[in-house]
Amino acid sequence: MPDETEQEYQAWHEDIEYLVKILKESFESTNASYYVDEINEILYVELEGLDDYSEEEIVEIAGPILEELDLDFEDIFLLPLS
């Protein structure tokens, strides 16, 4: 994240936490975590209970959320919480 001020970096992390919170609520998860691979610009979001949903249901639920909150990642992966 070159040339970003501390305030912009903090806002970026708050946006990620907001996205995780919305996904957690949308999938009725009681627990969630995330990991940012800044080198490859990938966000991994782990959600408890995600494996209860089919791939089609996941796309249907998460698709509009991810489009609305465009966080400028190359990829965002949703994974069951391990």
Side-chain angles (χ1 to χ4, degrees):
M1 308 244 92
D3 301 317
E4 286 192 327
T5 67
E6 182 62 32
Q7 187 176 18
E8 290 171 327
Y9 190 73
Q10 182 64 31
W12 180 70
H13 270 285
E14 288 173 3
D15 289 345
I16 293 170
E17 289 174 7
Y18 178 72
L19 171 64
V20 172
K21 177 184 173 210
I22 295 299
L23 289 170
K24 182 179 168 185
E25 291 172 359
S26 298
F27 288 99
E28 300 176 352
S29 300
T30 55
N31 202 359
S33 67
Y34 68 91
Y35 169 73
V36 177
D37 178 351
E38 291 185 37
I39 294 171
N40 297 306
E41 298 179 359
I42 298 173
L43 173 64
Y44 298 92
V45 179
E46 292 183 313
L47 298 162
E48 185 175 41
L50 188 66
D51 47 2
D52 294 339
Y53 294 86
S54 70
E55 187 174 331
E56 293 80 23
E57 290 171 318
I58 293 170
V59 170
E60 185 178 310
I61 293 168
I65 296 167
L66 296 174
E67 287 177 22
E68 178 82 21
L69 300 173
D70 182 23
L71 293 180
D72 218 17
F73 284 99
E74 284 294 319
D75 285 306
I76 297 175
F77 293 106
L78 302 182
L79 306 166
L81 187 66
S82 52

